[in-house]
């Protein structure tokens, strides 16, 4: 054995014990007659010391050559420290070294292996194997493990069976681009990497598995951002002989279990909100309800007052920002510049100060009197000391803009507390959404989502009005899970594919295997998939997922550590019957 104990294990109870430790050199302090070495492993740090009076000279000379991140083995005796360090669990002891073995040397690391490092994101991703040695990343990966284990324990106790599904599958339209894999043995043909195991989990229900789950990799070739990677992990679940309420209850239970087990937080209420109400009150379908600032629609009280900016708008809508009347004119001007950024796209912002004496002062006082502004305050629920921020324009655009402003104000005011958790179900999404580019309807979730009971006939008359038997679970302004009751009979699935623009031949080519399976006694079924990466980040009090992934890609989808993706040689291309046709940029 290279070690008898870990570097986080020893205490004063181990005094006078002979031990063997192995790990990385965190730092060396050479006092001449005495050398101190901080030895680190996954479990913690233990101080070693070498004393010229009691340490053999050869060992002292070897200790003087140690550098940061050298891998060493040290044997010695545990002694109580004269000068204790209360900042680490092993701070009451140290090890007087009698034998020292250098197991491996190290180059000087390109950044310091400390909690607060001097390495930027790009540098740390290039040397990710060094970054993982840092406590924040190490603890994040351990935290992810704990969440995954808690998920497995809960679902297993609920009677779910973990079943693996294939990674090499057939390309099917699910909303994003597929990653494709050429087949050497089937010339000119390709596999696709799964965007989700959707059809397979439905086939498992046809197969009678009843309750399935899988913590599974999924792949989507789409533009990236802080909370999105080309490969990501889902907690994928499906249940047979269930209705929507059964699924909501089961996965409320899972979420409660995780919040209690991982964060020590008890959450009883899982409020439910219709999709249409979420868009009207918050401007998006994943609202953060830890704070207020609900939208107030002001058309009736703000239009027809000679202010043409509002008169010509499809929607005039505002929020009351608590306590923000204290903002200076300069701060408000910066806020107006913020909403006019291309990322937000607003043309401007009207504001109204709600003074402590009950009066109002607005940037459009010329057009609105105190009585008018009092109605703004009533509709937005503004109180004295608040600031009403108003945007106007096309309904969908202005809702998105005000939603972004709402989140920005909450961030600035410290209202998004990472230790508070507010789950929310969003229900009754539209089944279809219109795409201006293709001029046809697309499935808002996926083609296998069932319409709400009794609405199937609406597909022929008012397809845009049909609601999906679908639901998303939102936590702190992030969608952590989404699912639906599935279509489970061939005629309904055929109708759905027809309205999505598939000919019978195309439907057969793409989904024939599933349609065939539905003819062999498919049970009613439904499910949900949680985004594990995002869920872990939120439970860990962070917005971004990168530190909870061992080897993440950057915003261009590249792994800068191994330099992938990368070209393949001509021999491989020929073997796969591929020819490159790269266009000059």
């Amino acid at each position: 054995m290279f070690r008898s104990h870990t570097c986080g294990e020893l205490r004063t109870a181990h005094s006078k014990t002979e031990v063997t430790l192995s790990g990385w050199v965190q730092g060396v302090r050479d006092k001449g007659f005495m050398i101190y070495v901080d030895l680190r492993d996954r479990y913690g740090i233990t101080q070693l010391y070498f004393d010229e009076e009691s340490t053999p000279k050869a060992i002292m000379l070897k200790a003087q050559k140690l550098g940061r991140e050298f891998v060493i083995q040290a044997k010695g005796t545990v002694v109580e420290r004269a000068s204790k360090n209360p900042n680490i669990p092993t701070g009451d002891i140290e090890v007087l070294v009698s034998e020292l073995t250098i197991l491996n040397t190290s180059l000087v690391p390109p950044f310091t292996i400390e909690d607060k490092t001097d390495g930027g994101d790009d540098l740390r991703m290039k040397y990710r194997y060094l970054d993982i040695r840092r406590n924040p990343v190490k603890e994040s990966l351990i935290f992810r493990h704990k969440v995954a284990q808690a998920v497995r324990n809960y679902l297993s106790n609920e009677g779910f069976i973990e079943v693996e599904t294939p990674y090499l599958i057939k390309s099917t339209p699910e909303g994003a681009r597929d990653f494709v894999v050429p087949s050497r043995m089937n010339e000119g043909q390709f596999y696709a990497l799964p965007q989700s195991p959707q059809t397979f989990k439905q086939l498992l229900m046809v197969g009678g598995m009843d309750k399935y789950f899988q913590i599974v990799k999924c792949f989507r070739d789409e533009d990236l951002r802080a909370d999105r990677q080309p490969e990501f992990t889902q907690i994928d679940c499906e249940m047979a002989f269930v209705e929507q309420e059964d699924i909501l209850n089961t996965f409320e239970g899972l979420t409660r279990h995780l919040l209690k087990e991982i964060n020590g937080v008890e959450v009883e209420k899982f409020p439910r909100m219709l999709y249409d109400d979420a868009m009207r009150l918050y401007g998006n379908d994943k609202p953060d309800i830890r704070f207020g600032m609900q939208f107030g629609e002001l058309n009736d009280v703000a239009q027809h007052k000679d202010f043409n900016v509002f008169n010509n708008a499809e929607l005039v809508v505002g929020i009351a920002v608590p306590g923000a009347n204290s903002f200076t004119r300069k701060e408000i001007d910066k806020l107006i510049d913020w909403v006019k950024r291309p990322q937000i796209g607003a043309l401007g912002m009207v504001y109204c100060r709600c003074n402590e004496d009950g009066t109002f002062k607005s940037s459009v006082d010329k057009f609105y009197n105190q009585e008018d502004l009092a109605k703004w305050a009533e509709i937005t629920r503004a109180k004295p000391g608040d600031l009403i921020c108003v945007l106007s324009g096309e309904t969908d655009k202005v809702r998105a803009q005000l939603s972004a402003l709402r989140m920005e104000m909450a961030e600035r005011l410290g209202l998004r507390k990472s230790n508070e958790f507010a789950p929310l179900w969003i229900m009754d999404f539209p089944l279809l959404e219109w795409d201006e580019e293709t001029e046809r309807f697309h499935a808002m979730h996926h083609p296998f989502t069932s319409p709400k009971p009794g609405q199937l006939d609406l597909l022929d008359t008012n397809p845009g009005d049909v609601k999906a038997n679908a639901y998303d679970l939102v936590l702190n302004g992030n969608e952590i899970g989404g699912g639906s009751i599935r279509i489970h009979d061939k005629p309904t699935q055929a109708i759905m594919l027809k309205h999505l623009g598939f000919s019978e031949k195309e439907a057969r080519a793409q989904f024939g295997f599933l349609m065939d399976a539905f003819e062999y006694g498919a049970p009613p079924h439904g499910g949900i998939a949680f985004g594990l990466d995002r869920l872990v980040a939120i439970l860990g009090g962070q917005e971004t997922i990168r530190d909870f992934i061992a080897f993440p890609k950057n915003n261009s989808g590249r792994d800068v550590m191994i330099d992938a993706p990368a070209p393949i040689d001509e021999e491989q291309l020929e073997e796969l019957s591929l020819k490159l046709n790269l266009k000059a940029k």
Side-chain angles (χ1 to χ4, degrees):
M1 296 288 289
F2 281 94
R3 59 189 177 189
S4 61
H5 298 77
T6 70
C7 293
E9 186 177 349
L10 299 175
R11 302 290 188 272
T12 51
H14 296 95
S15 292
K16 299 182 181 179
T17 304
E18 294 291 320
V19 298
T20 303
L21 302 180
S22 293
W24 289 265
V25 173
Q26 178 75 20
V28 180
R29 299 180 300 285
D30 190 342
K31 306 293 185 182
F33 61 92
M34 189 174 288
I35 299 171
Y36 294 98
V37 173
D38 291 332
L39 187 65
R40 183 195 72 242
D41 63 10
R42 181 187 123 190
Y43 307 93
I45 290 178
T46 295
Q47 179 171 286
L48 312 178
Y49 85 98
F50 304 78
D51 183 346
E52 66 179 11
E53 291 186 3
S54 50
T55 303
K57 186 175 182 180
I59 301 298
M60 287 291 289
L61 290 173
K62 193 181 288 188
Q64 290 170 349
K65 296 177 182 178
L66 295 178
R68 277 181 171 268
E69 302 307 310
F70 276 39
V71 185
I72 64 172
Q73 180 189 58
K75 297 182 180 180
T77 306
V78 179
V79 296
E80 189 169 353
R81 284 173 65 164
S83 178
K84 294 180 170 56
N85 181 355
N87 297 317
I88 57 174
T90 60
D92 289 347
I93 59 93
E94 57 193 355
V95 174
L96 176 60
V97 178
S98 56
E99 293 183 39
L100 176 65
T101 303
I102 297 176
L103 300 173
N104 215 332
T105 60
S106 173
L107 298 173
V108 176
F111 53 87
T112 55
I113 313 296
E114 302 278 0
D115 288 5
K116 293 184 178 179
T117 182
D118 55 358
D121 284 350
D122 291 341
L123 185 64
R124 289 188 292 109
M125 285 187 71
K126 183 176 180 180
Y127 296 94
R128 184 64 167 180
Y129 46 85
L130 297 180
D131 200 29
I132 291 172
R133 296 180 190 175
R134 295 174 51 245
N135 281 328
V137 181
K138 176 193 74 176
E139 295 299 335
S140 292
L141 296 180
I142 294 171
F143 185 84
R144 181 188 178 108
H145 160 76
K146 290 177 179 176
V147 174
Q149 290 302 103
V151 168
R152 282 193 164 95
N153 290 339
Y154 176 86
L155 292 175
S156 296
N157 289 336
E158 290 292 314
F160 284 79
I161 304 300
E162 186 166 10
V163 183
E164 292 184 3
T165 54
Y167 280 167
L168 296 175
I169 66 168
K170 181 179 183 178
S171 181
T172 58
E174 289 191 43
R177 296 182 190 91
D178 287 325
F179 284 102
V180 294
V181 181
S183 171
R184 178 183 59 81
M185 293 184 290
N186 300 275
E187 190 174 300
Q189 296 185 318
F190 296 81
Y191 299 105
L193 300 179
Q195 295 183 34
S196 77
Q198 181 60 48
T199 53
F200 287 101
K201 65 182 180 181
Q202 291 190 249
L203 292 171
L204 286 169
M205 296 303 101
V206 178
M209 289 306 295
D210 193 70
K211 287 183 174 181
Y212 140 93
F213 87 98
Q214 181 181 192
I215 297 181
V216 59
K217 280 287 185 191
C218 302
F219 308 85
R220 291 178 188 170
D221 186 5
E222 56 188 352
D223 294 336
L224 305 181
R225 56 178 185 244
D227 62 344
R228 183 180 286 170
Q229 290 273 304
E231 51 182 324
F232 57 97
T233 307
Q234 282 187 354
I235 307 166
D236 199 54
C237 308
E238 198 80 0
M239 304 167 71
F241 301 110
V242 291
E243 296 176 329
Q244 180 175 280
E245 198 64 29
D246 301 307
I247 293 174
L248 300 190
N249 290 334
T250 298
F251 292 98
E252 279 183 21
L254 172 60
T255 309
R256 281 196 187 93
H257 174 75
L258 292 176
L259 288 168
K260 175 68 174 174
E261 188 81 6
I262 303 299
N263 298 86
V265 173
E266 302 248 11
V267 176
E268 290 301 321
K269 292 184 178 180
F270 280 68
R272 300 180 184 185
M273 184 180 297
L274 298 179
Y275 169 86
D276 290 343
D277 290 338
M279 299 304 294
R280 178 175 57 84
L281 295 172
Y282 298 99
N284 70 72
D285 58 4
K286 47 182 186 296
D288 190 336
I289 59 171
R290 285 175 294 179
F291 53 93
M293 287 193 274
Q294 285 188 354
F295 290 8
E297 296 188 356
L298 302 172
N299 289 42
D300 291 344
V301 297
Q303 290 183 327
H304 314 300
K305 298 286 184 178
D306 296 327
F307 185 50
N308 286 333
V309 172
F310 285 175
N311 291 341
N312 297 329
E314 193 173 63
L315 177 65
V316 182
V317 63
I319 55 171
V321 183
N325 190 27
S326 61
F327 280 27
T328 65
R329 177 59 190 270
K330 187 176 181 180
E331 287 175 314
I332 293 176
D333 286 344
K334 286 184 177 179
L335 201 58
I336 294 171
D337 290 339
W338 188 88
V339 300
K340 291 165 74 172
R341 294 158 61 234
Q343 300 94 315
I344 308 300
L347 297 177
M349 184 186 85
V350 169
Y351 67 89
C352 176
R353 294 181 179 277
C354 302
N355 298 320
E356 296 291 349
D357 63 3
T359 62
F360 303 95
K361 178 64 178 172
S362 172
S363 55
V364 288
D365 279 341
K366 178 180 177 180
F367 304 99
Y368 299 93
N369 58 34
Q370 291 291 298
E371 185 179 342
D372 295 327
L373 299 176
K375 291 176 181 176
W376 292 17
E378 181 183 351
I379 291 172
T380 59
R381 301 178 180 84
K383 298 180 178 62
D386 292 352
L387 179 73
I388 302 173
C389 299
V390 182
L391 301 181
S392 61
E394 297 176 27
T395 298
D396 291 344
K397 288 183 180 178
V398 77
R399 281 176 173 168
Q401 292 160 1
L402 192 60
S403 175
L405 176 60
R406 176 180 179 267
M407 295 297 279
E408 176 67 15
M409 297 309 296
E411 202 70 52
R412 293 187 186 190
L413 296 171
L415 302 177
R416 304 190 70 209
K417 297 180 174 63
S418 61
N419 60 348
E420 292 181 3
F421 298 94
L424 171 72
W425 286 108
I426 302 294
M427 323 285 294
D428 292 6
F429 287 81
L431 183 68
L432 307 173
E433 57 184 344
W434 182 256
D435 187 292
E436 294 290 346
E437 286 187 22
T438 59
E439 295 187 339
R440 70 175 192 176
F441 282 105
H442 289 260
M444 193 164 190
H445 282 76
H446 53 64
F448 319 109
T449 298
S450 173
K452 294 289 283 187
Q455 294 196 4
L456 184 62
D457 291 343
L458 272 178
L459 281 173
D460 290 323
T461 55
N462 295 294
D465 292 341
V466 180
K467 299 298 184 185
N469 208 345
Y471 33 82
D472 279 0
L473 183 55
V474 175
L475 186 61
N476 295 0
N478 294 271
E479 178 201 331
I480 60 166
S484 65
I485 298 298
R486 323 299 187 189
I487 296 169
H488 68 280
D489 64 279
K490 183 175 181 178
T492 305
Q493 188 65 71
I495 291 170
M496 180 67 173
L497 293 174
K498 174 187 171 185
H499 283 280
L500 292 173
F502 289 88
S503 67
E504 282 191 37
K505 184 177 180 181
E506 288 170 334
R508 181 73 202 170
Q510 290 280 1
F511 305 111
F513 64 94
L514 186 64
M515 308 273 272
D516 288 345
F518 285 170
E519 295 195 283
Y520 289 91
H525 59 280
I528 193 169
F530 286 74
L532 179 64
D533 309 297
R534 191 175 301 170
L535 174 62
V536 169
I538 295 168
L539 295 177
Q542 297 186 35
E543 289 285 329
T544 58
I545 64 176
R546 187 175 289 173
D547 276 354
F548 295 91
I549 298 172
F551 300 103
K553 308 289 191 292
N554 68 11
N555 287 344
S556 300
R558 293 198 66 82
D559 186 325
V560 295
M561 182 183 67
I562 64 173
D563 194 23
I568 60 174
D569 60 37
E570 289 292 334
E571 186 177 333
Q572 281 181 290
L573 289 171
E574 187 175 338
E575 189 175 39
L576 294 167
S577 304
L578 295 177
K579 185 176 182 179
L580 299 181
N581 182 24
L582 300 176
K583 296 178 182 178
K585 293 185 178 179

